[in-house]
mmCIF file with all atom_site columns, all heavy atoms in Angstrom:
data_model
loop_
_atom_site.group_PDB
_atom_site.id
_atom_site.type_symbol
_atom_site.label_atom_id
_atom_site.label_alt_id
_atom_site.label_comp_id
_atom_site.label_asym_id
_atom_site.label_entity_id
_atom_site.label_seq_id
_atom_site.pdbx_PDB_ins_code
_atom_site.Cartn_x
_atom_site.Cartn_y
_atom_site.Cartn_z
_atom_site.occupancy
_atom_site.B_iso_or_equiv
_atom_site.pdbx_formal_charge
_atom_site.auth_seq_id
_atom_site.auth_comp_id
_atom_site.auth_asym_id
_atom_site.auth_atom_id
_atom_site.pdbx_PDB_model_num
ATOM 1  N N   . GLN A 1 14 ? 105.203 89.256  95.021 1.00 94.00 ? 766 GLN A N   1
ATOM 2  C CA  . GLN A 1 14 ? 106.101 90.277  94.497 1.00 94.00 ? 766 GLN A CA  1
ATOM 3  C C   . GLN A 1 14 ? 105.483 91.648  94.694 1.00 94.00 ? 766 GLN A C   1
ATOM 4  O O   . GLN A 1 14 ? 104.270 91.820  94.528 1.00 94.00 ? 766 GLN A O   1
ATOM 5  C CB  . GLN A 1 14 ? 106.344 90.066  93.005 1.00 94.00 ? 766 GLN A CB  1
ATOM 6  C CG  . GLN A 1 14 ? 107.036 88.776  92.686 1.00 94.00 ? 766 GLN A CG  1
ATOM 7  C CD  . GLN A 1 14 ? 107.161 88.564  91.187 1.00 94.00 ? 766 GLN A CD  1
ATOM 8  O OE1 . GLN A 1 14 ? 106.386 89.094  90.407 1.00 94.00 ? 766 GLN A OE1 1
ATOM 9  N NE2 . GLN A 1 14 ? 108.138 87.779  90.796 1.00 94.00 ? 766 GLN A NE2 1
ATOM 10 N N   . LEU A 1 15 ? 106.334 92.616  95.021 1.00 94.00 ? 767 LEU A N   1
ATOM 11 C CA  . LEU A 1 15 ? 105.897 94.002  95.127 1.00 94.00 ? 767 LEU A CA  1
ATOM 12 C C   . LEU A 1 15 ? 105.889 94.615  93.736 1.00 94.00 ? 767 LEU A C   1
ATOM 13 O O   . LEU A 1 15 ? 106.869 94.519  92.995 1.00 94.00 ? 767 LEU A O   1
ATOM 14 C CB  . LEU A 1 15 ? 106.836 94.796  96.036 1.00 94.00 ? 767 LEU A CB  1
ATOM 15 C CG  . LEU A 1 15 ? 106.510 96.263  96.239 1.00 94.00 ? 767 LEU A CG  1
ATOM 16 C CD1 . LEU A 1 15 ? 105.139 96.436  96.899 1.00 94.00 ? 767 LEU A CD1 1
ATOM 17 C CD2 . LEU A 1 15 ? 107.597 96.929  97.050 1.00 94.00 ? 767 LEU A CD2 1
ATOM 18 N N   . MET A 1 16 ? 104.773 95.211  93.375 1.00 92.00 ? 768 MET A N   1
ATOM 19 C CA  . MET A 1 16 ? 104.651 95.866  92.077 1.00 92.00 ? 768 MET A CA  1
ATOM 20 C C   . MET A 1 16 ? 105.049 97.335  92.242 1.00 92.00 ? 768 MET A C   1
ATOM 21 O O   . MET A 1 16 ? 104.765 97.949  93.263 1.00 92.00 ? 768 MET A O   1
ATOM 22 C CB  . MET A 1 16 ? 103.223 95.762  91.560 1.00 92.00 ? 768 MET A CB  1
ATOM 23 C CG  . MET A 1 16 ? 102.765 94.325  91.427 1.00 92.00 ? 768 MET A CG  1
ATOM 24 S SD  . MET A 1 16 ? 101.113 94.062  90.743 1.00 92.00 ? 768 MET A SD  1
ATOM 25 C CE  . MET A 1 16 ? 100.178 95.474  91.138 1.00 92.00 ? 768 MET A CE  1
ATOM 26 N N   . ALA A 1 17 ? 105.697 97.894  91.252 1.00 84.00 ? 769 ALA A N   1
ATOM 27 C CA  . ALA A 1 17 ? 106.115 99.298  91.316 1.00 84.00 ? 769 ALA A CA  1
ATOM 28 C C   . ALA A 1 17 ? 104.919 100.239 91.141 1.00 84.00 ? 769 ALA A C   1
ATOM 29 O O   . ALA A 1 17 ? 104.777 101.225 91.852 1.00 84.00 ? 769 ALA A O   1
ATOM 30 C CB  . ALA A 1 17 ? 107.161 99.578  90.262 1.00 84.00 ? 769 ALA A CB  1
ATOM 31 N N   . GLU A 1 18 ? 104.076 99.952  90.190 1.00 78.00 ? 770 GLU A N   1
ATOM 32 C CA  . GLU A 1 18 ? 102.885 100.759 89.919 1.00 78.00 ? 770 GLU A CA  1
ATOM 33 C C   . GLU A 1 18 ? 101.699 99.843  89.744 1.00 78.00 ? 770 GLU A C   1
ATOM 34 O O   . GLU A 1 18 ? 101.716 99.029  88.818 1.00 78.00 ? 770 GLU A O   1
ATOM 35 C CB  . GLU A 1 18 ? 103.059 101.593 88.657 1.00 78.00 ? 770 GLU A CB  1
ATOM 36 C CG  . GLU A 1 18 ? 103.923 102.809 88.835 1.00 78.00 ? 770 GLU A CG  1
ATOM 37 C CD  . GLU A 1 18 ? 103.277 103.869 89.723 1.00 78.00 ? 770 GLU A CD  1
ATOM 38 O OE1 . GLU A 1 18 ? 102.041 104.021 89.666 1.00 78.00 ? 770 GLU A OE1 1
ATOM 39 O OE2 . GLU A 1 18 ? 104.001 104.507 90.478 1.00 78.00 ? 770 GLU A OE2 1
ATOM 40 N N   . PRO A 1 19 ? 100.702 99.869  90.494 1.00 79.00 ? 771 PRO A N   1
ATOM 41 C CA  . PRO A 1 19 ? 100.597 100.577 91.754 1.00 79.00 ? 771 PRO A CA  1
ATOM 42 C C   . PRO A 1 19 ? 101.440 99.878  92.814 1.00 79.00 ? 771 PRO A C   1
ATOM 43 O O   . PRO A 1 19 ? 101.828 98.734  92.638 1.00 79.00 ? 771 PRO A O   1
ATOM 44 C CB  . PRO A 1 19 ? 99.108  100.489 92.079 1.00 79.00 ? 771 PRO A CB  1
ATOM 45 C CG  . PRO A 1 19 ? 98.663  99.213  91.452 1.00 79.00 ? 771 PRO A CG  1
ATOM 46 C CD  . PRO A 1 19 ? 99.507  99.072  90.205 1.00 79.00 ? 771 PRO A CD  1
ATOM 47 N N   . CYS A 1 20 ? 101.699 100.553 93.893 1.00 87.00 ? 772 CYS A N   1
ATOM 48 C CA  . CYS A 1 20 ? 102.560 100.010 94.951 1.00 87.00 ? 772 CYS A CA  1
ATOM 49 C C   . CYS A 1 20 ? 101.762 99.013  95.798 1.00 87.00 ? 772 CYS A C   1
ATOM 50 O O   . CYS A 1 20 ? 101.366 99.298  96.920 1.00 87.00 ? 772 CYS A O   1
ATOM 51 C CB  . CYS A 1 20 ? 103.103 101.144 95.802 1.00 87.00 ? 772 CYS A CB  1
ATOM 52 S SG  . CYS A 1 20 ? 104.376 100.593 96.939 1.00 87.00 ? 772 CYS A SG  1
ATOM 53 N N   . LEU A 1 21 ? 101.513 97.848  95.209 1.00 95.00 ? 773 LEU A N   1
ATOM 54 C CA  . LEU A 1 21 ? 100.750 96.777  95.848 1.00 95.00 ? 773 LEU A CA  1
ATOM 55 C C   . LEU A 1 21 ? 101.475 95.454  95.615 1.00 95.00 ? 773 LEU A C   1
ATOM 56 O O   . LEU A 1 21 ? 102.417 95.374  94.839 1.00 95.00 ? 773 LEU A O   1
ATOM 57 C CB  . LEU A 1 21 ? 99.332  96.710  95.262 1.00 95.00 ? 773 LEU A CB  1
ATOM 58 C CG  . LEU A 1 21 ? 98.442  97.923  95.506 1.00 95.00 ? 773 LEU A CG  1
ATOM 59 C CD1 . LEU A 1 21 ? 97.178  97.819  94.667 1.00 95.00 ? 773 LEU A CD1 1
ATOM 60 C CD2 . LEU A 1 21 ? 98.105  98.066  96.982 1.00 95.00 ? 773 LEU A CD2 1
ATOM 61 N N   . TRP A 1 22 ? 100.984 94.403  96.248 1.00 96.00 ? 774 TRP A N   1
ATOM 62 C CA  . TRP A 1 22 ? 101.573 93.071  96.145 1.00 96.00 ? 774 TRP A CA  1
ATOM 63 C C   . TRP A 1 22 ? 100.705 92.170  95.276 1.00 96.00 ? 774 TRP A C   1
ATOM 64 O O   . TRP A 1 22 ? 99.481  92.281  95.280 1.00 96.00 ? 774 TRP A O   1
ATOM 65 C CB  . TRP A 1 22 ? 101.708 92.449  97.529 1.00 96.00 ? 774 TRP A CB  1
ATOM 66 C CG  . TRP A 1 22 ? 102.669 93.186  98.388 1.00 96.00 ? 774 TRP A CG  1
ATOM 67 C CD1 . TRP A 1 22 ? 102.410 94.282  99.165 1.00 96.00 ? 774 TRP A CD1 1
ATOM 68 C CD2 . TRP A 1 22 ? 104.052 92.904  98.538 1.00 96.00 ? 774 TRP A CD2 1
ATOM 69 N NE1 . TRP A 1 22 ? 103.544 94.695  99.791 1.00 96.00 ? 774 TRP A NE1 1
ATOM 70 C CE2 . TRP A 1 22 ? 104.574 93.863  99.431 1.00 96.00 ? 774 TRP A CE2 1
ATOM 71 C CE3 . TRP A 1 22 ? 104.904 91.942  98.019 1.00 96.00 ? 774 TRP A CE3 1
ATOM 72 C CZ2 . TRP A 1 22 ? 105.904 93.876  99.810 1.00 96.00 ? 774 TRP A CZ2 1
ATOM 73 C CZ3 . TRP A 1 22 ? 106.232 91.955  98.407 1.00 96.00 ? 774 TRP A CZ3 1
ATOM 74 C CH2 . TRP A 1 22 ? 106.723 92.912  99.280 1.00 96.00 ? 774 TRP A CH2 1
ATOM 75 N N   . ARG A 1 23 ? 101.340 91.267  94.549 1.00 96.00 ? 775 ARG A N   1
ATOM 76 C CA  . ARG A 1 23 ? 100.618 90.273  93.749 1.00 96.00 ? 775 ARG A CA  1
ATOM 77 C C   . ARG A 1 23 ? 101.194 88.894  94.053 1.00 96.00 ? 775 ARG A C   1
ATOM 78 O O   . ARG A 1 23 ? 102.317 88.768  94.540 1.00 96.00 ? 775 ARG A O   1
ATOM 79 C CB  . ARG A 1 23 ? 100.756 90.578  92.263 1.00 96.00 ? 775 ARG A CB  1
ATOM 80 C CG  . ARG A 1 23 ? 102.162 90.378  91.759 1.00 96.00 ? 775 ARG A CG  1
ATOM 81 C CD  . ARG A 1 23 ? 102.266 90.610  90.290 1.00 96.00 ? 775 ARG A CD  1
ATOM 82 N NE  . ARG A 1 23 ? 103.645 90.368  89.876 1.00 96.00 ? 775 ARG A NE  1
ATOM 83 C CZ  . ARG A 1 23 ? 104.190 90.863  88.804 1.00 96.00 ? 775 ARG A CZ  1
ATOM 84 N NH1 . ARG A 1 23 ? 103.482 91.634  88.006 1.00 96.00 ? 775 ARG A NH1 1
ATOM 85 N NH2 . ARG A 1 23 ? 105.433 90.593  88.509 1.00 96.00 ? 775 ARG A NH2 1
ATOM 86 N N   . TRP A 1 24 ? 100.408 87.859  93.753 1.00 96.00 ? 776 TRP A N   1
ATOM 87 C CA  . TRP A 1 24 ? 100.903 86.490  93.925 1.00 96.00 ? 776 TRP A CA  1
ATOM 88 C C   . TRP A 1 24 ? 101.091 85.836  92.569 1.00 96.00 ? 776 TRP A C   1
ATOM 89 O O   . TRP A 1 24 ? 100.458 86.224  91.590 1.00 96.00 ? 776 TRP A O   1
ATOM 90 C CB  . TRP A 1 24 ? 99.979  85.645  94.811 1.00 96.00 ? 776 TRP A CB  1
ATOM 91 C CG  . TRP A 1 24 ? 98.546  85.558  94.363 1.00 96.00 ? 776 TRP A CG  1
ATOM 92 C CD1 . TRP A 1 24 ? 97.492  86.266  94.865 1.00 96.00 ? 776 TRP A CD1 1
ATOM 93 C CD2 . TRP A 1 24 ? 97.994  84.720  93.334 1.00 96.00 ? 776 TRP A CD2 1
ATOM 94 N NE1 . TRP A 1 24 ? 96.336  85.932  94.217 1.00 96.00 ? 776 TRP A NE1 1
ATOM 95 C CE2 . TRP A 1 24 ? 96.610  84.980  93.270 1.00 96.00 ? 776 TRP A CE2 1
ATOM 96 C CE3 . TRP A 1 24 ? 98.521  83.788  92.467 1.00 96.00 ? 776 TRP A CE3 1
ATOM 97 C CZ2 . TRP A 1 24 ? 95.768  84.331  92.368 1.00 96.00 ? 776 TRP A CZ2 1
ATOM 98 C CZ3 . TRP A 1 24 ? 97.686  83.146  91.562 1.00 96.00 ? 776 TRP A CZ3 1
ATOM 99 C CH2 . TRP A 1 24 ? 96.317  83.421  91.528 1.00 96.00 ? 776 TRP A CH2 1
#
Side-chain angles (χ1 to χ4, degrees):
Q766 297 176 335
L767 180 62
M768 302 183 332
E770 283 292 325
C772 190
L773 296 170
W774 295 86
R775 68 177 181 203
W776 56 259

